[in-house]
Amino acid sequence: FLGHESYITFCHLENEAAFTCSADHTIRKWDVRTGQCLAVYRGHTSIVNRILVAKDYLFSGSYDRTARCWSVDKEKQIQEFRGHRNCVLTLAHYSSKDVLEEEEEEEEEEEKVSRDLLVTGSTDCTVKVWWVSSGRCYQTLLGHTGAVLCLILDAPNRELFSGSTDYTIRTWNIVTGEQLKVFKEHQGSVICLELVNRHLYSGSADRTVKCWLVDTGERIQTYKAHKHSVSTLKYHAGILFTGSGDACARAFNPRSGVLQKVFRGHKFIINCIQVHNELLYTASHDGTLRIWDIRGLCKRNKRRLKKERSAPGRGSQKGSLSRLFNNKVGCIVQQESGD
C-alpha cells in the first residue's frame, strides 16, 4: 500500500478496508484486496497520530491539538474537538447507553440526538471525554504527570485505562471520572495497552510487555526479547503480538511468556499491528504496510490450546489464568501468522 508522502503512524482495519494515517497530515482508505486507495481525508494541519472507525464515523487525533470526526463514505469532516493544550495522541469511543443508567442519561437532554462519546489522551497530561454530536467536552480526567500515550476502554465495567510517559497505567471510572487504581512497575513510558477478559497487557519503553490482573492490580507475567521500546500490542486467538522500535513484530505465548515467532522485514519502528482473516498487518515508520500469513502459527496455537483444555486442573490461581486463554470469547479478537 503505497501513497502516503511520509511515514504511517497507525492502521485500522474495518471489513475489507484498511485506514491509515500519516505524518503527511492525511488519512487514507484502502481496498485490502487490491491495494487501491479509495479515499483521502484532508483537514489536519500536522501529523495525524491515531485513527478510529466506529459506526459510520472516522475519528482522528493530531499534533495540531485537535481530534476530528469524519464521514467515512463522504470524506467530509463532521466535527472538530478543540480544547487540549497540546498534541492529541490516542483515542477511544463508546456510547453512553453502554455505560449510563437510564436516569443518568436523562440528565443529558442536550445530547439526546447522539449519545456517542469520544475519549482523547494528550501530551498535556489529560484525558478528555467529548460528546460527538456537539463537540462539547463532557469531562477532563486529571492525575497523570506525563503525556497520555494510550487508552483502552472496558465499557461494561465502566472503566477506562490510560498509559503515560510518567511510567504508570491508571484506571478511571468513565462515568464519574474517579481515579480507581495505579499500576506502577514499568521502568519506562507506557506506550500501548490491550485488554482481554480482565487481563491488561502493557507495552513500554523499558522493552517489556507486562500482564496485569485488572481486579487486583497484580502483575502476573513479563514478556521480554525486544531490543527496543514496545510500540504496539494485539491479542488474537490466544497469541500476543507485539511491534517494536527494533523494526520487528513478535508472537508470544501469553500464558508462558515464550517467544514463538519473529517477523522481520520492516526498516524502522512498527507503529501498529492488526489481524484479520489469519493475516497479520504491520504499519511502520518506514512508510509501508506489510501483510504476513500467520495461518501456520494459528494452527499450532489451536493445537496447544486443545491440549491445555484436556490437561488436568491446576492450582486455583494458575487455573484462573488457564481459563482465560481457553475462553472462546477471548479468542475471537483476531488472528495472526508469520510464514
Side-chain angles (χ1 to χ4, degrees), residues 304-318:
R304 175 180 62 80
L305 291 175
K306 189 174 181 179
K307 287 181 181 178
E308 289 179 2
R309 287 192 198 98
S310 60
R314 297 175 177 84
S316 58
Q317 185 175 359
K318 290 184 179 179

Side-chain angles (χ1 to χ4, degrees), residues 13-133:
L13 297 178
E14 191 76 11
N15 299 322
E16 297 304 319
F19 295 82
T20 56
C21 55
S22 169
D24 66 9
H25 306 181
T26 71
I27 305 155
R28 288 177 180 259
K29 178 182 178 181
W30 311 84
D31 186 315
V32 171
R33 295 164 295 186
T34 66
Q36 178 186 2
C37 181
L38 303 175
V40 183
Y41 305 84
R42 305 180 190 276
H44 280 295
T45 58
S46 189
I47 297 170
V48 184
N49 302 299
R50 191 60 56 93
I51 49 176
L52 172 66
V53 178
K55 300 179 180 178
D56 296 323
Y57 298 136
L58 168 65
F59 297 97
S60 57
S62 169
Y63 268 72
D64 64 13
R65 304 183 182 184
T66 71
R68 302 185 188 216
C69 176
W70 314 76
S71 166
V72 170
D73 296 328
K74 297 180 181 179
E75 303 175 46
K76 178 183 177 182
Q77 182 177 310
I78 299 172
Q79 190 59 265
E80 182 176 298
F81 308 90
R82 189 176 290 273
H84 279 296
R85 289 177 285 110
N86 218 320
C87 318
V88 178
L89 299 178
T90 183
L91 307 168
H93 169 271
Y94 69 99
S95 173
S96 65
K97 66 183 180 182
D98 295 332
V99 299
L100 296 177
E101 302 293 343
E102 290 184 9
E103 59 272 17
E104 293 173 315
E105 285 192 287
E106 289 175 2
E107 298 175 4
E108 303 295 342
E109 292 294 334
E110 177 185 340
E111 307 296 336
K112 279 292 185 182
V113 176
S114 173
R115 296 193 177 102
D116 290 302
L117 293 109
L118 178 70
V119 188
T120 57
S122 169
T123 51
D124 65 11
C125 308
T126 70
V127 176
K128 288 182 179 289
V129 184
W130 313 79
W131 288 108
V132 171
S133 59

Side-chain angles (χ1 to χ4, degrees), residues 255-289:
R255 183 179 176 190
S256 67
V258 172
L259 177 64
Q260 295 179 306
K261 181 78 178 179
V262 181
F263 304 85
R264 295 181 176 90
H266 282 293
K267 296 178 181 178
F268 298 109
I269 181 173
I270 295 174
N271 297 317
C272 180
I273 285 178
Q274 294 287 332
V275 187
H276 183 63
N277 291 340
E278 295 196 341
L279 294 175
L280 175 70
Y281 294 75
T282 55
S284 168
H285 218 70
D286 63 17
T288 68
L289 176 66

